[in-house]
Amino acid sequence: MSDQKRLFLVDAYALIFRGYYAFIKNPRINSKGVDTSAIMGFMNSLLDVIKRERPDHLAVCFDKGGSADRVEMFEAYKANRDETPEAIKVAVPYIEQILRAMHIPIMVKEGFEADDVIGTLSKQAEKEGYKTFMVTPDKDFAQLVSDNIFMYRPVFGGGYETWGIEEVKKKFEVDDPLQVIDFLGMMGDSSDNIPGLPGVGEKTAKKLLAEYGSMENLLANTHELKGKMKEKIEASKELGMLSKKLATIMLDVPVEFDAKDFELDHPDIQKVTKIFQELEFRQLLSNFQKTFAVEDSSAETDTEETPSKENSKTPKTSKPSAGAGQFSLFDAQGNEDVIVSTQSSRNTSETTSHLYQSIAPGLATKLFIQNLMKQSSVCFDTETTGIDPITAELVGIAFSWEVGKGFYLPFPENKDDAQELIEQLRPFFESETIEKIGQNLKYDIKVLRKYNIKVKGKLFDTMLAHYLINPDMRHNMDVLAETYLNYTPISIEELIGKKGKNQLSMRDVPLEKQTEYAVEDADVTLQLKEHFEKELGEANTQKLFDDIEIPLLRVLADMELEGIKLDKEFLNSLSEELDNDIKNLETNIYKEAGEEFNIASPKQLGDILFDKLKLVDKPKKTKTGQYATSEDILSYLAKDHEIIKHILEYRTLAKLKSTYVDALPTQVEASTGRVHTDYMQTVAATGRLSSNNPNLQNIPIRTERGRQVRKAFIPRNDDYTLLSADYSQIELRIIAALSKEETMINAFKHGEDIHASTASKVFNVPIENVTREQRSNAKTVNFGIIYGVSAFGLSNQTDLSRSEAKELIDTYYATYPKLKSYISEQVDFARDHGYVQTVLGRRRYLKDINSRNAVVRSAAERNAVNAPIQGSAADIIKIAMINIYNKLEAGNYKTKMLLQVHDELVFDVYKPELDTIKSLVKMEMENAYKLEVPLDVDLGSGNNWLEAH
DNA sequence: TGGCGCTCCTA
DNA sequence: GTAGGAGCGCCAA
């Protein structure tokens, strides 16, 4: 950096609002009931800027009395801004007080906005040779950017970005920062009540700006525009010029830049401390003291007066220059071989006594591990730098084996040192005899696997336990602790802040806090385990837990870490093709509609189709009062209107492009070059898995165009091939077996086409004479049964009328009488017991089964029918997965299991192993569970997922 | 910036 | 009629 002097001008209200909204979900209320969110948010940002940048000159600018000039120009200007929230009103006097105590000048000018004050000051400072940084998130300021004036913007996820001329040009697609005024004038700004040109949003504004360069030039050439846009803009020329004026920041405010006055001075630490204590800002106070520690010796005196523990532990030698609030993880210098007790009680819950200790490196760690190895059952919890286990690094591990007590082992940031430490723990994690307890162990296992540690021995996962005990509830630790232990753990947000704005990494949290948080989690998890252990036995789900969910956890961890290879180039070319077609459709649709609009907006689309084009007399509406434009409604109209056909195709292609073709390549993990989905083992109430980030269980297959996406999923290299194995009609087989419906069982035993067989019986024709339509209707009823049919639903799904549908269902039940009685037995069972269960005893509780509300009750009854079927199918494939996994491990195969899609498994097969694997997989899947109906598995292999099908 | 509604993809 | 996840538009806090 040059020795040019640097001036920082802070936009007070913008940062206050930002701070306030950052805490909107759980506002900071102190013991006196004052909402301090806004003050805290603002002070955090201010200290952050000072700490990072150490400015020579600094001032904070406020608005006062709104802009008289602007209000005169446009009466609606800022008129219908919402009432300022109470917390912000309270905040301002406090902030002014603090700023005065910090000796930071406050700039306000009656009748001017902070924008104008900052604009004027920065131009003045520029003339005097300063570099000015405008601290604000507000994009309006971009118009002021020059060679010596920059925006200093807090960004999503923490940190700041500096916008110079180049950045502004790029962001706004302009040639000169001054054009930002034209841009804002065209687009408008609802929060500032700048009206903008009607129908012009961000995209159009950029387009117009690129073409015309300025508002004036655009308005002078409106004859070149066409269609609706031409009309609208021509009618709004005055509004356009007005908007531009409103967006212009004034540079002639009567304020004076005074270099001396703006110099960043030593704060009056005592005064600031007093205010912070009054507000109960402990963390902020210690942060403040650290920031100014070197410059003012009174900081140390003050520190001792502070009652808070973390402050008394603030290392007095730590210089701010050492980095952004970094705390050495091993700050127990001089006695590093001793176990250091950090805190012995929580500030918030005095009712709970506990002893949480952090372990220093060296001898203390050795002694700790010796002790650890003597335990028979230990709860542990890893703390990492992020939530994605593939990129996250260990920050520490908490251990607990006695309620109320526990230890925290911090990990060094250096990779080699971290590996060295984890090696010391290897005997523990790989011990077959020590039981490991955790909440969501799949995560910890994946993290540890990256350090080349395979967790062995018995496992107890409290999240999985609770999933079996009560699948309909949520299973995160905070909820469980509150429900079962009547205890509220420290929230992660308290530690690292809300996600997004300035969220810290666990590594930035002081060791004492890490210890409290991490060990508390381990302690709570241990207590939950004791609780759930009993309940598992009572619910008779112990076997399901021990034999299915726990073993499956390791299987899933491996599948997720493995990931699947994606052909990015292929998707890119697919994207281009789609883009082409979408653009063509767009042109056609606009032509047919007579104007341009956002086809992706159901609202706008509905207005065009039904208000403007009046395609239907009485259009259907959704419950929110919009016109319904869903696929089934539109396809009904498609034969009469060309535009509908185009819209439907547009939607299909746009969806395909945005959800799959464009999204998937961005989900490829850089370090592995593969996509790693995350299987959720505890969300589906029926026992199924779900998949996300990305969801690989909903990759298109039904349409020709859509299924192309599957070609992008490929084997790891030429030595491998993809194998897909899927259960044929597993749910129908299950219902046939459970209901003991002989007719259906026999059809399966004879390998008949089940839908044709059903049609033949229901319509009373020989199976070879079944028509396509008959088969299709039979198929719909077959599926309907699984979902809990109604005549209404069936008639909606087919061309049949309500009464025809009812007749079909009646005949169906007459053909399969046992099926009918099975269904009523399930409902009766649910009424009597309050739950239904799968073949393995997985329960789903149905609290609404006896509801007096018929709609609610019917829904529960459908669940009573469907849950055991869907759930049993889930049970069966889970067994198959575990068995296959074990065989693959035992046989040391190179083949890996990659994906599960409810009734399908996908493998990356080493070609020489293909035949063996095929029969192994088929064998394990078909024999995973014995039913009276044979299970049948179809296999396919190929160079991509589509070919494998 | 977050949540909700709508739509659409899967088994 | 069952079970999910995700992208987009839109509006509010």
Side-chain angles (χ1 to χ4, degrees), chain A residues 7 56-59 105 107 121 257-264:
Chain A
L7 166 67
D56 321 295
H57 294 74
L58 176 80
M107 298 303 292
L121 288 174
F257 169 65
D258 178 340
K260 192 99 205 342
D261 197 29
F262 282 28
E263 226 165 84
L264 186 58

Side-chain angles (χ1 to χ4, degrees), chain A residues 752-821:
Chain A
E752 287 173 15
D753 169 347
I754 190 63
H755 302 309
S757 162
T758 300
S760 130
K761 280 158 192 132
V762 170
F763 299 110
N764 199 21
V765 290
I767 194 159
E768 56 276 11
N769 291 355
V770 168
T771 66
R772 269 180 61 183
E773 198 194 357
Q774 285 171 328
R775 183 181 182 278
S776 156
N777 282 337
K779 185 177 172 182
T780 312
V781 193
N782 275 335
F783 279 114
I785 294 296
I786 293 169
Y787 299 148
V789 263
S790 71
F792 177 74
L794 183 62
S795 71
N796 271 346
Q797 284 283 305
T798 57
D799 294 333
L800 303 177
S801 69
R802 275 282 273 288
S803 59
E804 284 169 329
K806 188 172 180 314
E807 203 187 318
L808 178 57
I809 292 171
D810 289 344
T811 329
Y812 185 91
Y813 281 143
T815 316
Y816 299 130
K818 286 259 187 75
L819 241 165
K820 188 181 185 188
S821 51

Side-chain angles (χ1 to χ4, degrees), chain A residues 379 400-403 437 522-530:
Chain A
C379 180
S400 173
W401 54 82
E402 199 182 329
V403 170
I437 302 157
D523 182 12
V524 165
T525 305
L526 182 67
Q527 296 180 47
L528 287 171
K529 186 242 184 181
E530 295 184 353

Side-chain angles (χ1 to χ4, degrees), chain A residues 315-365:
Chain A
K316 305 195 170 105
T317 48
S318 106
K319 296 196 175 76
S321 55
Q326 298 270 344
F327 228 89
S328 162
L329 282 175
F330 305 106
D331 60 338
Q333 255 102 32
N335 52 348
E336 57 175 86
D337 283 335
V338 178
I339 293 178
V340 184
S341 167
T342 55
Q343 260 178 296
S344 55
S345 75
R346 280 226 304 166
N347 294 331
T348 47
S349 77
E350 262 121 48
T351 51
T352 322
S353 76
H354 59 263
L355 182 64
Y356 297 164
Q357 298 172 303
S358 63
I359 313 287
L363 185 59
T365 298

Side-chain angles (χ1 to χ4, degrees), chain A residues 191-211:
Chain A
S191 70
D192 272 352
N193 262 325
I194 297 173
L197 292 169
V200 176
E202 187 184 328
K203 278 195 174 163
T204 319
K206 281 184 178 167
K207 209 169 78 187
L208 292 173
L209 211 48
E211 215 162 314

Side-chain angles (χ1 to χ4, degrees), chain A residues 2 71 98 139 188 228 310 344 452 610 672 710 727 767 858 902:
Chain A
S2 73
V71 172
I98 297 167
K139 291 191 174 73
K228 260 274 186 293
E310 50 266 51
S344 55
N452 201 20
F610 303 118
T672 62
R710 293 194 173 225
Y727 282 111
I767 194 159
S858 310
H902 307 306

Side-chain angles (χ1 to χ4, degrees), chain A residues 707-725:
Chain A
R707 74 171 69 108
Q708 297 307 309
V709 175
R710 293 194 173 225
K711 285 189 182 164
F713 292 83
I714 54 178
R716 72 186 57 216
N717 63 40
D718 290 346
D719 296 334
Y720 285 76
T721 181
L722 284 190
L723 172 71
S724 160

